[in-house]
């Protein structure tokens, strides 16, 4: 098979790595890819959002399966374009991608379909937001820009002052541009956060091992929200009865309602869950694999990814069962100075050869590029270092040992990924 993976992050590096292990895969293209995928696969210099050029490429190269990593091309309608041209692609239509593309759409969808989520209100201006604050909200409240903001448009506000500042940033300063045309304010949910993803052909699902993302920039969950600074996936994250509850109360009704509302969902449905005392509630939906969650779950994936995705496209997912190892997987993101704000690029990265020789370590590239035989930083999240082992403690130790030999100016990472968690 000839495969095209769209995107240029560590998630896409991991997808290409896993899919290339299938005996039926001969060729993997990554568009646009990064300095890591360039060495192992073939990078194609087409931006992930250049939908027409990607479809032209897939057609010309007789690509048999396209996998979309990031949300932006899905929200822009890449699945619709590929479907019109009869090109097989894993990912939802533009309409179904609204589950991630618009928080207002997702909240209204959940409300009308009784899918458990936080109480919320929607507003379209700073003045409306201020009025909401006069109503009966308990602090903290969560203020969210409606549209895509790479995980950065969400503010947990512990006082009215902080809530006004978040509203000001979104509505007046237009920090997130069009994504801030509408704002969601919602009640703060308490509990453990879990990323729960499934492969789905619209009706059947193949559950993906549960994982947990570390969203805040700094240790002890301090600092601003990021796209994700690390993740773990361990067998004990979610119990069997709780998983059944998530499938019955959240995943199945969501898929059924998407179909009955005329937007059947195909691809990966990702529910960001808060496991509250009252049961699992949805914090957000994503319409694709998580990053960095993918880097840990694929370390535990023991089946043939190309075959699974082919069945997904052919709507025969009910015939597939995926195997997941009982191992504990962890990954840590190394970011550039300044991330998640403005960051520096072009710093020389050293030590990767040495880390590659280390026991059990997988380094996935994100914002990297090669220039005159040197590897340079070229993004906010630069590398994801991952390992899976029999215990979480062992995997964590291996990852941090590998990070210790990697260097670039200004690099920063969290030192507490996988800490304070019991793996058994
Ligand atoms: P979102 O992009 O909506 O998932 O929000 C990003 C992060 O903010 C989530 O992963 C949570 O850590 C946090 N968050 C969002 N909504 C809530 C909420 N209602 N209660 C508590 N934390 C939240
Ligand atoms: N790590 C969270 C996400 O992929 O949205």
């Amino acid at each position: 098979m000839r495969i095209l993976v769209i995107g240029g992050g560590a998630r896409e590096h991991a997808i290409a790595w896993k899919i290339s292990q299938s005996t039926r895969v001969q060729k993997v293209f990554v568009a646009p890819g990064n300095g890591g995928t360039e060495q192992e696969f073939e990078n194609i210099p087409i931006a992930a959002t250049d939908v027409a050029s990607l479809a032209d490429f897939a057609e010309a190269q007789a690509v048999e399966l396209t996998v979309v990593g990031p949300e932006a091309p899905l929200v822009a309608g890449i699945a619709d374009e590929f479907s019109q041209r009869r090109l097989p692609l894993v990912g939802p239509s533009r309409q179904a991608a609204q589950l991630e593309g618009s928080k207002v759409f997702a909240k209204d969808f959940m409300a009308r379909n009784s899918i458990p989520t936080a109480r919320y209100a929607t507003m379209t201006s700073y003045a409306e937001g201020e009025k909401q604050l006069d109503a009966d909200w308990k602090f903290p409240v969560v203020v969210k820009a409606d549209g895509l903001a790479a995980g950065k448009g969400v503010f947990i506000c512990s006082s009215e002052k902080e809530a006004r500042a978040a509203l000001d940033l979104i509505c007046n300063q237009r920090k997130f541009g069009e994504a801030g045309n509408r704002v969601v304010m919602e009640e703060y949910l308490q509990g453990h956060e879990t990323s729960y993803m499934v492969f789905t052909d619209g009706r059947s699902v193949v559950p993906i091992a549960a994982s947990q993302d570390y969203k805040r920039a700094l240790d002890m969950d301090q600092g601003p929200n990021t796209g994700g600074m690390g993740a773990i996936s361990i067998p004990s994250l979610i119990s069997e009865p709780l998983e059944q509850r998530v499938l019955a109360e959240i995943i199945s009704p969501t898929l059924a309602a998407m179909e009955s509302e005329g937007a059947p969902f195909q691809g990966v449905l990702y529910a960001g869950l808060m496991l509250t005392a009252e049961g699992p509630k949805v914090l957000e939906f994503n319409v694709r694999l998580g990053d960095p969650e993918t880097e840990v779950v694929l370390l535990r994936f023991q089946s043939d990814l190309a075959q699974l995705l082919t069945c997904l496209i052919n709507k025969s997912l009910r015939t597939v069962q995926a195997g997941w190892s009982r191992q504990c997987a962890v990954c840590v993101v190394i970011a550039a100075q300044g991330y998640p704000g403005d960051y520096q690029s072009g710093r020389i990265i050293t030590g990767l050869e040495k880390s590659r020789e280390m026991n059990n370590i997988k380094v996935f590239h994100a914002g990297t590029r090669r220039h005159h035989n040197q590897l340079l930083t070229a993004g906010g999240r630069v590398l994801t270092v991952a390992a899976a082992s029999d215990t979480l403690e062992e995997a964590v130790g291996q990852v941090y040992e590998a990070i210790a030999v990697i260097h670039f100016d200004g690099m920063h990472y969290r030192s507490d990924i996988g800490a304070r968690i019991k793996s058994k």
Side-chain angles (χ1 to χ4, degrees), residues 24 64 89 125 127 165 176 215-216 283 326 352 377 409:
R24 67 185 72 201
E64 291 156 277
L89 176 140
S125 67
F176 306 101
K215 288 205 160 74
R216 306 287 282 267
L283 291 174
R326 302 287 305 164
L352 283 193
T377 68
D409 282 347

Side-chain angles (χ1 to χ4, degrees), residues 213 215 227 270 286 288 290-293:
D213 177 19
K215 288 205 160 74
Y270 166 146
N286 294 322
R288 35 91 198 159
D291 188 356
E293 291 93 327

Side-chain angles (χ1 to χ4, degrees), residues 2 44 50 60 83 121 178 190 201 206 222 251 311 367 380 392 396 398 416:
R2 295 162 69 74
I44 305 299
D50 186 353
S83 152
E178 300 265 299
Q190 221 126 25
D201 57 13
V206 170
Q222 301 297 305
I251 302 294
C311 290
L392 184 62
V396 167
Q398 289 167 345
D416 65 343

